[in-house]
Amino acid sequence: MPADATLPLTGRALGEVIFRRGATPVTAARFLAEVAALAARLPDEGPVLNFCADRYLALVGFAAALSRGQVTLLSADRSAPRLADIARLHGARYALSDTDAALPLPVLRPAVEPAGDGANPAIPAAAIAAIAFTSGSTGEPRPHAKPWGALVAGARAAAERFAVAPGTSIVGTIPAQHMYGFETTLMLPLVAAGAAHAGPVFYPSDIQEALAALPAPRLLVTTPLQLRALLGAGVPLPPLAGIVSATAPLAESLAAAAEETFGAPVLEIYGATEAGSVASRRTLDGEAWDPYPGMRFTIAEAGAEVAVPGLALPVPLADTLEWCGEGRFRLLGRRGDMVKLAGKRASLAGLTRILTTIEGVEDGLFLAPDDIDRNPRARLAAAVVAPGRSAEEIVATLRDKVEPAFLPRPVVLLDALPRDALGKVNRARIVELAWRRREPATDALHIGDAEP
Amino acid sequence: MSTTLSLEAELARLIVEALHLEAAPEDIDPEAPLFGEGLGLDSIDALEIALAVSKRYGFQLRSDDERNHRIFASLRALAAHIEKQRTA
């Protein structure tokens, strides 16, 4: 693509429905009019921190900012300290939100109203449209810039891979500001196909109501955790065209139960905040992942990386990959000490560093249970040497520095970390102390996601 | 009020068991926030509580934006919501 190439804000025909706000269908034409109206009211300078819970408002806000040449900061974590951190570190000039928030910058509510016609602006492919964040090893948000061209290429690739028909209703359960949710429920309908459901959807009954209110074909975009809850709650769903899962590996038993119960193929996306979605598979077809069109994977001794269309540099991956024929790969596990919980990644060494810098903590260690890759409910543990401090105090201090998903459960207080004769920490001993009371796989659901 | 008190105790036990919490059920402050401060639960826990509640009490929790924040505000608020649903 030439350096000065542009791509239109929406790739949809003006009459196509791209979103559904409750019972109200929103066409591309109406969307463009609302984007133009909001863009005219935005402050002159970005970046803008957009944490709207309503997906449609999130999309209109993003598109309006983009049409004004402003970068959108995407934070999947809506906690006030995290938002304030991102705003401060990345120079946000204002925020767009549909909920009240106490932040040290102006927070605007993106009211949308149809007002005349809106053009379909041409956006430079190289323009940074959004910045997504992961947690750095010391807890600070680490930015990942998303050029408009990369976002568009990703959305087109997803539409092709999942053969999304233009009229497909998309119900997503992941926040619009999480890279996976942003790609599947904002970028996909904006650029390529489908009409996304705007409302908040989280619990099994929300998913049921949202799907029931929308026309077929219906695509459910969710996570292993929510799929498990959906099956456990036993709520009936209308016919589905497909179920897409990401953020964590999906157990084959869970995929099989979902396919049988809901009568639709269960497809998984492999991706990362830095790269976006890069490969997919149907879980029941086996362990091989099919790269998205245009992705180029390199697998070497030092690790795997993927070259993503539109991104200047290849993205190193947190997993160990192995080719398994026909251009496909399998995942052999996480590299180093990276762990992933609730769709967020962290390094155990980084968490340990944060833990051991807490006042009164003399020594400490974060560790993951052995079933962390299979059990969507897995939690980390921490062994801590902190004379005179309670587990509650330590967790309370960590809460300001660590995302909730990574807070240790349990905290094991010790007089000293168990070490072997060479001074190396005896991890097995700590695992025993941390999880000895846990009964293995006493999962009320018996769908096997916690079983080896 | 005795119904509510015993429901609170029952719910505290249900939460501690479902979430594998370190705390003893009787140590949970019924007025303390369940999420963030207080017990420090997160969205994984919210799904887990919703699932446990649907199995024990036979109704589904929902994301009714504003209302949901109130329901999950504390053990007492959640117990009151369940009480209302049970007698509804």
Side-chain angles (χ1 to χ4, degrees), chain A residues 200 202-206 209 225-226 228-229 232-233 235 342 376-377 379 399 404-405 407 409-411 437-438 444-445, chain B residues 18-22 36-48 50-51 54-55 60-63 68 72:
Chain A
F202 183 75
Y203 296 106
S205 53
D206 303 334
E209 281 171 32
L225 201 66
Q226 284 161 314
R228 176 183 167 278
V235 296
R377 299 163 62 201
R379 296 289 187 171
R399 193 168 295 135
L407 289 175
R409 193 182 292 176
V411 171
R437 279 164 296 161
R438 300 289 149 76
L445 286 170
Chain B
L19 306 183
H20 301 302
L21 294 182
E22 286 299 291
E37 306 286 315
L39 266 190
L41 306 185
D42 62 15
S43 62
I44 298 179
D45 298 315
L47 268 185
E48 213 53 50
L51 197 51
S54 77
K55 284 181 187 303
Q60 305 285 342
L61 290 168
R62 312 174 29 189
S63 291
N68 196 50
F72 273 127

Side-chain angles (χ1 to χ4, degrees), chain A residues 72-419:
Chain A
T72 292
L73 306 176
L74 298 169
S75 175
D77 184 344
R78 291 203 187 93
S79 69
R82 177 76 166 185
L83 292 173
D85 262 4
I86 288 177
R88 180 173 49 80
L89 292 168
H90 298 278
R93 304 300 291 267
Y94 67 101
L96 284 173
S97 173
D98 49 0
T99 51
D100 290 324
L103 287 175
L105 71 166
V107 180
L108 311 182
R109 271 179 190 259
V112 291
E113 63 256 1
D117 289 341
N120 187 5
I123 312 291
I128 302 303
I131 297 180
F133 295 90
T134 54
S135 280
S137 57
T138 50
E140 85 288 2
R142 184 183 294 171
H144 305 284
K146 302 289 170 184
W148 175 239
L151 292 174
V152 171
R156 286 177 181 161
E160 182 184 329
R161 171 56 50 90
F162 297 115
V164 182
T168 303
S169 299
I170 302 169
V171 170
T173 65
I174 316 95
Q177 290 79 7
H178 187 283
M179 204 53 210
Y180 167 45
F182 184 79
E183 286 186 305
T184 52
T185 64
L186 267 54
M187 284 306 298
L188 181 58
L190 175 63
V191 167
H197 173 76
V201 173
F202 183 75
Y203 296 106
S205 53
D206 303 334
I207 298 174
Q208 176 191 33
E209 281 171 32
L211 287 167
L214 297 173
R218 304 175 187 88
L219 183 67
L220 174 62
V221 181
T222 188
T223 68
L225 201 66
Q226 284 161 314
L227 207 46
R228 176 183 167 278
L230 199 54
L231 286 164
V235 296
L237 299 183
L240 299 178
I243 299 170
V244 176
S245 172
T247 66
L250 183 61
E252 202 182 302
S253 52
L254 192 53
E259 287 212 359
E260 192 186 329
T261 306
F262 305 124
V266 174
L267 309 160
E268 275 181 276
I269 291 177
Y270 176 67
T273 300
E274 298 87 328
S277 301
V278 292
S280 70
R281 65 168 181 166
R282 180 178 178 185
T283 315
L284 294 187
D285 283 347
E287 56 182 359
W289 292 88
D290 236 333
Y292 268 26
M295 302 291 164
R296 290 195 318 279
F297 284 77
T298 309
I299 301 177
E301 196 66 26
E305 56 182 34
V306 59
V308 178
L311 290 188
L313 295 171
V315 179
L317 296 169
D319 299 288
T320 302
L321 274 58
E322 181 182 81
W323 292 117
C324 58
E326 297 166 40
R328 300 188 300 173
F329 63 87
R330 67 168 74 93
L331 297 175
L332 298 178
R334 288 169 289 109
R335 285 186 70 76
D337 71 339
M338 297 305 291
V339 290
K340 200 169 180 194
L341 291 174
K344 292 159 186 134
R345 247 181 13 234
S347 120
L348 289 173
L351 291 168
T352 293
R353 242 189 326 273
I354 293 169
L355 172 68
T356 51
T357 53
I358 292 177
E359 203 183 319
V361 172
E362 295 175 0
D363 201 356
L365 184 70
F366 258 90
L367 66 167
D370 295 332
D371 66 351
I372 189 161
D373 290 327
R374 301 185 301 272
N375 178 5
R377 299 163 62 201
R379 296 289 187 171
L380 304 181
V384 184
V385 180
R389 301 210 58 180
S390 69
E392 289 77 16
E393 285 169 359
I394 290 162
V395 171
T397 311
L398 281 173
R399 193 168 295 135
D400 293 335
K401 305 166 190 284
V402 168
E403 295 200 44
F406 300 116
L407 289 175
R409 193 182 292 176
V411 171
V412 183
L413 291 171
L414 299 167
D415 293 333
L417 291 189
R419 291 178 190 273

